[in-house]
Amino acid sequence: MGKPRVATTSLCGCFGCHMSLLDIDERILSLVELVDFDRSPINDIKELSGPVDIGLVEGGCANEENVKVLQEFREHCRVLISVGDCAINGGIPAMRNMVPLRECFREAFLDGPTVVNPAGKIPDDEEIPLLLDRVYPCHEVVKVEYHLPGCPPSADTLWEALNALLEGRSLELPYELIKYD
Amino acid sequence: MSDRISLTIDGRQIEAEPGQTILEAAEEAGVYIPRLCWMKGLSAFGSCRVCTVRVNGRPQSACTQPAAPGMVVENDTQELRELRRSLIDMLFIEGNHFCMFCEKSGDCELQALAYRLGITAPQYPFMFPQRELDATHPEIFVDRNRCILCGRCVRASQELDGKHVFGFVGRGAGKKVAVNAESGLGGTDAAGDDEAVAACPTGSLLKKRVGFAVPVGQRRFDHQPIGSEIEQAQSEE
C-alpha cells in the first residue's frame, strides 16, 4: 500500500498558510516520509492525479475558478480541511462583502486615486475568472470535514492536524492551537 | 452563619449570600459560568444568554437569577455547552469579526469564549452586514462591525462615568449602539479613560494609538482560557 496522498491549494488566499506549512521546519523531512504530495504549490503539480486522502484548502471562494478548484478537491479528497481564516470566514478578501461588486470594480479600475485606465473599461476578458458577488467561506460551497483557524494557523496546528489524521486519531486541537489571528 | 443560602451547582454544594445571583455565588465558589453582557460592577442586563444555566430543570440566566435555598443548578453540561456555542456562533456570523487584524484579538471576550468552547468555525452562514464606524473622537472610536449589543458601554457610561454617552436605538436586526450627539462620538463628552471604553468585551469600542502594544503570546487569553482565573482562585485556596 502506498503512502497517504496529500493535496494542497490556495484559492483566494495569500499563501501565508502554505508558508506556515513550510514553517514546520525540519519536521517537513518526516512529512515527506509519511505522505506523498499530489497537486500542491509545494511541488508545482497543477492537476489532481486521482483520489487523495487529505486535501488542504487555503483561502475562500472569490471567483468562479476558486469554486471549480474547490469542487474538484471535494470530489477527489477523502478528507477536506479548510486551512486558515480566509477558508473559514472569507478573511481579508471578505472585507469587500460589505461593498456592492459594482462599487468594488469602479474603485479598482475607474475611480481609485491611483488608477491609470485611459480606455475607461472594466477588464472583462474571458480569460479572467468572473468574480462572485461576494467572497464565500469554503464550507458554504462544499462540505468540509475540519477547520484549522488562524491567520495563518501555526505550524504546530498544521503538524498536529496532519499527524492526528495520519495516525487515525480524531482531530481535536488543544486550547493553545485554536487561534483566530 | 445562619442566613447563608445553600445550593448545588453541577452536583457540588456551594453557599451564597442572600441577594446574590447564581453567577456571583458560583464565581465565589470557584465555578466559572460563561458570560458576556455581565460585568463586575455593572447592573445585570441578561441579554446575551451565554450564562444560561438550568435551575431545577428550567433555563435561567445566572446573572439575573438570585440564588435560593436548595436550588439545583446545572452549568457545565453537554446541552448547555452546545447552547452557548450556538449563541457565540450567532454573534460571530451576525457581525463582521475580522480577528486577524483586530486590535482586541487575544484580549477579546467573544473570541476567548469561542476558544474556550473549542469553536473552529461557526455552524451558520455569515451575514456580512453593513455597519458603521465612528472615528470622530480624537481618543476613541466605535466600530459597530464588532459590536455584539451587550450594553456594557451603555451601562458603564451611565452607572460608572455618569455621562450617558451611549444608548440603544432601533429594534431587532436594526438595533445598534448610538451616541449622545448628532455629530458622532466626537461631539459627546466621552473620554479615552472612561470606564465605558474599558467595558467593551470586543474591539467595538477602542482607545486610539494603543493597539498591538502587547505582543502575541503575552495577551490575556493566549495561554489560559477565559474563566480559568476564577477556577484557579478556588483550587489554590
Side-chain angles (χ1 to χ4, degrees):
Chain A
M1 206 178 83
K3 289 190 266 183
R5 297 187 73 77
V6 174
T8 78
T9 190
S10 182
L11 306 177
C12 190
C14 70
F15 281 89
C17 298
H18 276 83
M19 296 303 289
S20 199
L21 182 59
L22 298 179
D23 200 29
I24 60 175
D25 299 328
E26 75 278 8
R27 289 174 289 186
I28 202 155
L29 298 174
S30 320
L31 187 61
V32 294
E33 295 287 316
L34 288 170
V35 304
D36 280 328
F37 275 94
D38 202 278
R39 173 184 168 151
S40 171
I42 291 171
N43 52 20
D44 209 27
I45 296 177
K46 310 285 193 201
E47 300 291 338
L48 287 165
S49 67
V52 168
D53 297 285
I54 301 171
L56 302 175
V57 177
E58 166 188 344
C61 288
N63 63 36
E64 55 176 357
E65 194 212 359
N66 297 151
V67 174
K68 192 170 140 273
V69 172
L70 181 60
Q71 286 171 338
E72 271 174 33
F73 263 68
R74 177 66 283 177
E75 198 181 317
H76 292 96
C77 300
R78 203 164 51 83
V79 174
L80 197 59
I81 308 180
S82 272
V83 178
D85 290 341
C86 295
I88 290 169
N89 58 37
I92 300 287
M95 290 182 75
R96 79 160 161 95
N97 288 5
M98 285 75 84
V99 182
L101 190 56
R102 186 173 296 273
E103 261 180 67
C104 292
F105 276 127
R106 288 201 70 86
E107 183 69 16
F109 297 111
L110 303 175
D111 301 337
T114 58
V115 170
V116 180
N117 183 1
K121 249 188 94 185
I122 293 171
D124 63 349
D125 193 287
E126 60 184 25
E127 289 290 316
I128 303 171
L130 278 177
L131 278 191
L132 304 180
D133 61 333
R134 62 178 178 84
V135 179
Y136 291 84
C138 291
H139 65 272
E140 291 185 18
V141 178
V142 299
K143 181 180 165 58
V144 171
E145 274 83 16
Y146 297 105
H147 300 87
L148 302 178
C151 189
S154 68
D156 288 341
T157 306
L158 290 159
W159 181 246
E160 166 58 26
L162 282 171
N163 273 285
L165 293 176
L166 291 173
E167 291 165 13
R169 288 186 279 127
S170 70
L171 204 175
E172 277 168 38
L173 295 173
Y175 178 81
E176 293 197 48
L177 295 187
I178 298 181
K179 291 282 173 285
Y180 301 165
D181 56 10
Chain B
M1 287 194 292
S2 58
D3 58 347
R4 298 279 282 181
I5 294 166
S6 180
L7 63 155
T8 69
I9 179 156
D10 291 335
R12 216 186 103 196
Q13 186 140 7
I14 67 164
E15 293 211 322
E17 299 283 345
Q20 247 182 347
T21 61
I22 296 171
L23 187 142
E24 290 165 333
E27 182 156 335
E28 250 181 50
V31 176
Y32 172 69
I33 300 176
R35 75 295 294 267
L36 264 178
C37 74
W38 185 88
M39 194 183 161
K40 198 168 264 175
L42 297 180
S43 61
F45 195 48
S47 74
C48 75
R49 314 316 280 185
V50 170
C51 72
T52 299
V53 291
R54 277 192 181 273
V55 179
N56 301 333
R58 280 188 63 186
Q60 301 276 7
S61 60
C63 73
T64 55
Q65 186 68 25
M71 266 182 172
V72 178
V73 179
E74 293 167 63
N75 170 43
D76 195 20
T77 65
Q78 179 71 17
E79 180 214 13
L80 290 169
R81 278 194 299 272
E82 280 171 17
L83 174 108
R84 288 170 186 149
R85 197 222 138 124
S86 292
L87 291 171
I88 299 299
D89 279 350
M90 286 190 273
L91 290 173
F92 267 98
I93 61 104
E94 76 170 12
N96 297 312
H97 298 278
F98 292 96
C99 296
M100 68 289 290
F101 62 81
C102 181
E103 294 171 40
K104 195 73 173 232
S105 190
D107 199 34
C108 166
E109 292 178 32
L110 175 67
Q111 186 193 58
L113 275 169
Y115 288 171
R116 186 180 165 111
L117 292 166
I119 298 174
T120 54
Q123 55 197 320
Y124 309 113
F126 286 90
M127 293 169 73
F128 296 111
Q130 295 238 1
R131 302 270 187 88
E132 297 147 15
L133 188 129
D134 179 349
T136 54
H137 194 283
E139 293 172 50
I140 43 183
F141 67 87
V142 187
D143 185 348
R144 294 187 178 86
N145 289 293
R146 303 166 180 167
C147 182
I148 56 170
L149 301 174
C150 66
R152 275 160 55 163
C153 60
V154 177
R155 281 170 288 149
S157 187
Q158 291 176 7
E159 298 168 17
L160 304 177
D161 299 325
K163 287 185 175 179
H164 298 79
V165 171
F166 303 97
F168 285 121
V169 293
R171 293 252 172 215
K175 186 173 177 176
K176 63 174 189 174
V177 166
V179 298
N180 191 18
E182 274 184 23
S183 59
L185 194 57
T188 69
D189 56 353
D193 292 329
D194 280 359
E195 295 293 338
V197 180
C200 182
T202 72
S204 183
L205 189 50
L206 281 178
K207 228 171 150 167
K208 292 181 179 176
R209 290 178 292 276
V210 294
F212 309 115
V214 181
V216 173
Q218 294 175 28
R219 301 168 304 180
R220 199 152 49 123
F221 305 120
D222 277 340
H223 305 290
Q224 293 286 321
I226 187 169
S228 43
E229 70 286 354
I230 292 169
E231 292 157 340
Q232 277 158 7
Q234 176 66 12
S235 56
E236 278 163 17
E237 274 172 23

